[in-house]
Amino acid sequence: MTDTKPNEARKEGKMEDLPAKKPVTIICVGMAGSGKTTFMQRLNSHLHAKKNPPYVINLDPAVRSVPFGCNIDIRDSINYKKVMETYNLGPNGAIVTSLNLFATKIDQVIGLVDKRSSNFNHCIIDTPGQIECFVWSASGSIITEAFASEFPTVIAYIIDTPRTSSPTTFISNMLYACSILYKTKMPMILVFNKTDVKKADFAKEWMSDFESFQDALQKNIKLSDETSEGSGYMASLVNSMSLVLEEFYSTLDTVSCSAYTGEGFDDFLKAVDSKVEEYNEIYVKERERVVKERKEREKENKEKNLEHLMSDMGLENKDKKKEKETETGERIDVLSDISSGNEEDDDDDEIDAQIKKDEARGYEHGIINIDDDNDNEEEASKISSAKKAIQERYKRAVANGESNTKFAADVTKYIRQTQG
C-alpha cells in the first residue's frame, strides 16, 4: 500500500523539502460483462476503507448510472443520446464520437487532476464496455498518453474468470491483453475477476505450465463435439498461440480478486505499487527517448522547410553554402549555382558595357557624377544590411521553432525594405 503520511504532512506545512509524489493512474479496461464497473466500485470503497480515497473518473458516456461517486464524469459535459441524434450515429459510433469530443478538453482534465493531486494517491478511470471504442480509437490513445505523460499509469485488464475456463476463450483473452499492452506501451496487470464464482488457479497454472494447458486443450476437444469437428485447425492455432504467448506471460503481474466479496484487492494494490516502480525504471526512460526523437524529427523538418522557403525566395544561407564545399576547399557545383552563375556573368557584361558608356559620356563633358556613386554605395549597404537581417531572422526562427508563415511574412517585409 502507498503510504499516506507524506501527503498528510505536506498539507500541515511540514516536510516542506519533500518532493510532491505523483498519484497513480489506474485505467480499467476489459471485455463487455467482465465486471469493470463493479470492480471500480469495490476498489473505490476499499480505498475509502483504508482512509485513502481515490480520484474517480468515468469515461463511459452510455452508462445510465454508476455505483460510485465520480469526480469527473463524461456524462456531465457530453449528452450521449444527443450525439446519436445530431450525427446520426449508432451506439458504438456515438461512444467514439463522445470520447473524441471529450479528448479535445483533456488538457483541462489533466489540469484538474494535477491541481488536486496532493489529496489522493490513486486516480482510477472506468472505460466503456465496448473495449475497442477506447483502446483502438484515437481519442483513447490521446487520453492514455495524456495521463501517462503526467502521472505513473497502469493498465488493469479485467477478465471474466468463469468465461475463461475454456482454453480457446483463455487464449483469446490473452491475445487481446497482449495487443493492448503493445498498443498502449504501459505496465499492465491481469485481473481475474469473479473468483467467488470460479477460482483463477487454473488460469495461473496455464500461464506458468505449457503442458498443463496442452492437456486441458486436448480434454476440451474430446468433450466438445462442435470443437472436435473443426479441431484440426482450432487445436493447431491455439497450440501455436500458447507457445508465442509464453514469453508474454513473464512480463505481466497476475491478480485474482472478486468485486463482489472484495477478496484480493490488497494484492491488487501491491501489484500496482510494483508496476509503478516498473514504470519509473523502464517506461519513463522509453517515453523520454521517444519524445526526444520526435522533437528532433520535428526540428529537422522545420529546418528543411525553412531552407526550402529561403531557397524559393532567392536567399542564400551561408552555413548551408559552406556545407557544399569539399574537404579540399573546392566548391561543388549544383544546378542552381550554374544557372545563377551564368545569369551573373551576363549581367556583369551588361554592367561593364554601361559603365564604359557612362564614363565616356562623363569625360566628354568633363563631368563625373559623384552623387550617383554615393547613391550606389548607399543602396549596396542597404541591401547588405537587409540580407544580414534576414539571415539573423532565419536563425531565430529555427532556434525558436517558429512557423513558416510568420518567417515568410518577416522576410517579405525585409525584401520590400530593400526594394525601397
Side-chain angles (χ1 to χ4, degrees):
M1 284 293 295
T2 306
D3 189 9
T4 61
K5 292 182 180 179
N7 282 340
E8 293 175 358
R10 195 178 290 107
K11 291 178 193 176
E12 296 173 0
K14 303 174 183 178
M15 303 172 67
E16 295 179 357
D17 297 332
L18 185 69
K21 187 176 182 179
K22 293 284 188 179
V24 185
T25 300
I26 305 172
I27 302 178
C28 299
V29 299
M31 299 287 188
S34 60
K36 293 186 301 298
T37 303
T38 310
F39 177 84
M40 282 275 298
Q41 187 273 335
R42 177 60 67 176
L43 179 60
N44 182 35
S45 62
H46 186 80
L47 289 172
H48 272 87
K50 297 288 185 181
K51 306 299 182 182
N52 185 17
Y55 198 86
V56 184
I57 300 176
N58 173 47
L59 295 182
D60 190 352
V63 66
R64 289 188 176 182
S65 62
V66 290
F68 48 81
C70 299
N71 298 94
I72 297 176
D73 195 335
I74 189 174
R75 298 174 300 167
D76 294 338
S77 56
I78 297 171
N79 189 325
Y80 170 73
K81 291 185 178 180
K82 192 69 175 178
V83 170
M84 291 181 68
E85 295 174 1
T86 303
Y87 299 101
N88 194 23
L89 298 170
N92 288 347
I95 291 175
V96 173
T97 304
S98 298
L99 287 171
N100 290 342
L101 295 171
F102 185 80
T104 60
K105 302 295 182 182
I106 191 60
D107 56 330
Q108 298 179 17
V109 175
I110 297 296
L112 289 172
V113 177
D114 187 50
K115 186 177 180 180
R116 295 169 173 79
S117 60
S118 61
N119 300 326
F120 56 88
N121 293 324
H122 300 88
C123 175
I124 56 179
I125 302 176
D126 192 16
T127 58
Q130 290 78 0
I131 185 173
E132 66 279 356
C133 293
F134 180 81
V135 174
W136 301 108
S137 65
S139 55
S141 298
I142 291 171
I143 294 170
T144 303
E145 289 288 329
F147 276 97
S149 62
E150 293 293 331
F151 311 103
T153 304
V154 178
I155 305 294
Y157 183 69
I158 316 299
I159 300 173
D160 188 344
T161 306
R163 293 185 180 179
T164 316
S165 57
S166 168
T168 305
T169 311
F170 173 80
I171 284 295
S172 299
N173 264 289
M174 294 301 105
L175 283 173
Y176 214 106
C178 181
S179 63
I180 293 173
L181 176 66
Y182 288 101
K183 175 69 169 58
T184 60
K185 297 181 177 63
M186 292 287 107
M188 177 183 284
I189 302 173
L190 291 183
V191 181
F192 288 96
N193 194 19
K194 304 182 182 180
T195 54
D196 57 298
V197 178
K198 185 176 181 61
K199 297 295 183 182
D201 297 338
F202 71 94
K204 294 180 180 180
E205 184 180 359
W206 288 352
M207 294 175 68
S208 59
D209 188 354
F210 174 76
E211 293 181 357
S212 175
F213 178 80
Q214 293 295 313
D215 293 340
L217 178 62
Q218 294 301 321
K219 290 179 182 178
N220 186 68
I221 291 173
K222 292 178 181 179
L223 292 175
S224 176
D225 293 334
E226 292 183 8
T227 309
S228 62
E229 291 177 0
S231 60
Y233 172 77
M234 183 60 67
S236 176
L237 177 62
V238 174
N239 277 329
S240 301
M241 290 299 99
S242 61
L243 285 171
V244 171
L245 293 173
E246 191 172 9
E247 183 67 23
F248 166 71
Y249 297 148
S250 62
T251 63
L252 297 175
D253 282 357
T254 305
V255 176
S256 58
C257 65
S258 172
Y260 180 73
T261 63
E263 177 188 0
F265 277 83
D266 285 332
D267 294 336
F268 173 75
L269 292 175
K270 289 179 182 178
V272 168
D273 291 339
S274 67
K275 285 299 178 182
V276 170
E277 295 177 1
E278 181 181 326
Y279 174 91
N280 293 328
E281 293 175 1
I282 300 174
Y283 288 87
V284 168
K285 295 179 181 179
E286 179 66 18
R287 291 182 62 80
E288 289 176 352
R289 183 188 64 80
V290 171
V291 170
K292 184 178 179 181
E293 290 180 354
R294 186 184 304 167
K295 288 182 178 179
E296 289 177 354
R297 286 196 301 269
E298 290 177 354
K299 184 178 179 181
E300 290 176 1
N301 292 334
K302 180 73 69 176
E303 290 178 352
K304 288 179 181 178
N305 292 335
L306 290 173
E307 285 293 335
H308 292 160
L309 182 61
M310 291 193 68
S311 177
D312 292 341
M313 290 184 172
L315 303 173
E316 187 177 19
N317 186 358
K318 294 181 180 180
D319 296 334
K320 295 296 180 181
K321 182 178 179 181
K322 291 179 181 179
E323 292 179 1
K324 295 178 181 178
E325 298 179 358
T326 60
E327 295 179 357
T328 58
E330 297 178 355
R331 180 172 172 77
I332 300 175
D333 293 331
V334 295
L335 184 60
S336 60
D337 295 333
I338 296 172
S339 60
S340 62
N342 293 334
E343 292 174 358
E344 289 177 357
D345 293 340
D346 294 339
D347 292 341
D348 290 342
D349 293 339
E350 292 178 3
I351 292 171
D352 291 340
Q354 185 65 36
I355 289 173
K356 290 179 180 179
K357 289 180 181 179
D358 292 341
E359 287 179 349
R361 189 181 299 109
Y363 283 121
E364 285 176 2
H365 297 86
I367 299 172
I368 299 178
N369 193 342
I370 299 176
D371 292 336
D372 290 342
D373 293 339
N374 291 337
D375 291 341
N376 292 336
E377 289 179 1
E378 291 177 1
E379 186 68 20
S381 176
K382 187 177 180 181
I383 293 173
S384 177
S385 62
K387 285 185 176 181
K388 289 180 180 179
I390 291 173
Q391 293 290 340
E392 292 298 326
R393 184 68 186 81
Y394 168 72
K395 291 179 180 179
R396 291 201 308 273
V398 173
N400 299 332
E402 296 179 3
S403 64
N404 293 345
T405 304
K406 190 174 187 303
F407 174 69
D410 290 343
V411 170
T412 304
K413 178 181 176 182
Y414 287 128
I415 290 175
R416 288 177 179 172
Q417 180 182 356
T418 58
Q419 291 177 350

